[in-house]
Amino acid sequence: MRVEVKTPNKNYEIKIEELEEIKLDTKVAIITNPKVSGLHLNYLTSKLKVKELYIITLPDGEEYKNMESINYGLERLFDAKFDRNSVLIAFGGGVIGDMTGFMASIFLRGIKFIQIPTTLLSMVDSSVGGKTGINNRYGKNLVGAFYQPEAVYIDTKFLKTLDKREFSAGMAEVIKMAVMFDAVFFENIKDNKLSIEQMIRESVELKADVVNQDEKEKGIRSVLNYGHTFGHVIENLTNYSTYLHGEAVAIGMVMANRLAVKLGYLTEFEANEIKKCLEQNELPTTFKIKDIEDFYNHFFADKKTLNNSIKFIIPNGIGNYKIVKDIEKEIILEVLGEFKV
């Protein structure tokens, strides 16, 4: 199964199949973390035919997605005398994919990289579309670049060693795609009618279609941030150490749904159906807000906030979306108040 991404800067394929032999007549660095390396590095290296191979291991976890990790990786590349023909391979989940892509975008002003995602979340979302970046103390993914890979290889073999919590986190992004774009897809997920390969394919096809229309998030691509505006605040308030990204997004979806209900775009029944679908995939749906004013102020650190106007992505029924902004502060505080301790 192959899906094509076509952007103004680059066309490339997403290959959903057993990992094929990859031949590269240049220096190659696999950027990975200790866990993925221990489980799967031998499998990947058995598929590579390259001129020189290097392994760069970065710490595992969202809290390490920072400039310190990037600098460490860049120095290893300079130590090994990488040049503009060299290639990086992102081998891990979303954190590794985001950091590798960002590293590739700034090393010698840009070299090629390949995505080989190993988590469900990175397979269906972060490996597709060229968003790269790191976090800082002001928020999530505030430093980065739109930088497309040469190819994405999705091999579901890697999911066999994925723990249940990580798998559930990936399901949040699958459910997000369905709620925004395809009511039938949502019903099939809810009724457990799809194999994991089918869910990955449908999610990737939907995301590729969005990226093809809007590579740099000037319009429809912002819809992919459903659940993220609230979710990123939750991640920031908990220092990226309490929730996996997909878990925070799941809670963020529930919060966005409460806003959609209050604004009249979603019924209570639909909001409950989405919540039940998240819960049956063992995702959290509640968060205790200690200070709603502080939570509200964190929205303004979001990179999607323009001219002090917060943009929210909400469902317009299941299978459709609505982009809303300039919402009265009191309305947002009322929604946040539903989650107050």
Side-chain angles (χ1 to χ4, degrees):
M1 172 68 203
R2 300 195 175 197
V3 179
E4 192 165 7
V5 178
K6 297 179 179 179
T7 73
N9 295 310
K10 183 174 289 179
N11 296 351
Y12 60 93
E13 280 191 327
I14 302 159
K15 304 173 184 183
I16 309 169
E17 58 199 17
E18 184 178 335
L19 192 60
E20 63 186 43
E21 186 175 86
I22 301 171
K23 294 181 180 179
L24 297 164
D25 187 25
T26 186
K27 287 184 179 179
V28 173
I30 298 171
I31 315 294
T32 188
N33 64 43
K35 187 173 184 180
V36 172
S37 174
L39 290 168
H40 301 296
L41 188 60
N42 288 343
Y43 175 67
L44 174 57
T45 55
S46 73
K47 301 284 187 175
L48 294 178
K49 297 290 181 286
V50 304
K51 192 172 183 179
E52 289 181 47
L53 182 63
Y54 297 82
I55 313 297
I56 298 174
T57 305
L58 301 180
D60 189 19
E62 195 77 35
E63 63 268 36
Y64 298 107
K65 196 171 118 176
N66 54 33
M67 194 58 79
E68 187 179 348
S69 296
I70 294 295
N71 282 334
Y72 174 82
L74 291 173
E75 286 179 3
R76 300 294 75 72
L77 298 178
F78 286 118
D79 287 344
K81 296 182 171 56
F82 271 53
D83 59 33
R84 284 181 168 167
N85 291 322
S86 304
V87 177
L88 305 185
I89 295 177
F91 189 49
V95 170
I96 286 293
D98 282 4
M99 288 200 290
T100 304
F102 183 47
M103 214 181 299
S105 77
I106 59 175
F107 182 77
L108 302 179
R109 296 193 173 133
I111 62 172
K112 294 177 179 179
F113 85 108
I114 290 167
Q115 286 271 20
I116 303 181
T118 59
T119 65
L120 179 59
L121 190 147
S122 57
M123 289 177 184
V124 300
D125 187 61
S126 59
S127 69
V128 179
K131 273 190 179 180
T132 75
I134 56 171
N135 309 327
N136 63 15
R137 66 188 179 90
Y138 296 97
K140 187 176 170 74
N141 297 328
L142 295 180
V143 178
F146 289 97
Y147 195 72
Q148 301 295 340
E150 298 301 302
V152 181
Y153 295 90
I154 296 175
D155 185 341
T156 57
K157 171 189 173 69
F158 299 124
L159 298 180
K160 290 177 182 174
T161 57
L162 194 66
D163 69 52
K164 204 166 187 180
R165 190 179 167 200
E166 286 276 6
F167 187 89
S168 293
M171 283 303 301
E173 296 284 0
V174 175
I175 294 165
K176 173 198 80 175
M177 297 296 292
V179 173
M180 288 290 95
F181 299 111
D182 193 330
V184 174
F185 185 23
F186 176 79
E187 287 298 317
N188 286 336
I189 295 167
K190 186 167 66 73
D191 297 336
N192 292 312
K193 289 183 176 178
L194 302 173
S195 68
I196 187 58
E197 287 81 10
Q198 288 172 316
M199 285 193 291
I200 291 171
R201 187 194 72 232
E202 293 227 22
S203 299
V204 166
E205 285 179 339
L206 286 169
K207 180 154 189 186
D209 184 53
V210 169
V211 173
N212 292 346
Q213 295 177 61
D214 179 23
E215 180 186 9
K216 297 195 174 177
E217 205 171 299
K218 303 294 186 187
I220 190 175
R221 187 166 181 176
S222 66
V223 174
L224 299 175
N225 293 308
Y226 167 50
H228 289 61
T229 304
F230 291 94
H232 283 172
V233 175
I234 291 168
E235 287 180 289
N236 188 260
L237 288 174
T238 55
N239 296 312
Y240 306 102
S241 59
T242 303
Y243 298 101
L244 298 174
H245 175 63
E247 293 173 334
V249 167
I251 301 169
M253 288 164 64
V254 173
M255 290 181 168
N257 292 349
R258 298 314 305 161
L259 179 60
V261 169
K262 192 167 280 292
L263 295 174
Y265 292 106
L266 196 68
T267 66
E268 288 283 0
F269 175 79
E270 290 168 324
N272 196 44
E273 286 292 283
I274 297 167
K275 188 176 180 181
K276 281 197 299 186
C277 187
L278 292 167
E279 288 173 345
Q280 76 186 33
N281 282 281
E282 299 183 37
L283 285 158
T285 56
T286 59
F287 180 75
K288 293 185 181 351
I289 299 176
K290 293 175 183 172
D291 184 336
I292 59 174
E293 194 74 36
D294 181 54
F295 194 105
Y296 176 82
N297 288 331
H298 271 75
F299 286 134
F300 294 97
D302 193 286
K303 59 191 174 299
K304 295 170 284 295
T305 298
L306 295 172
N307 301 319
N308 279 334
S309 175
I310 312 163
K311 182 165 65 176
F312 293 100
I313 312 301
I314 58 174
N316 185 9
I318 294 174
N320 288 293
Y321 60 85
K322 186 80 178 173
I323 302 172
V324 294
K325 53 186 178 180
D326 299 322
I327 305 298
E328 290 179 23
K329 179 180 177 180
E330 290 70 26
I331 292 175
I332 298 169
L333 291 182
E334 281 177 25
V335 170
L336 297 177
E338 295 182 29
F339 297 86
K340 191 160 186 341
V341 174

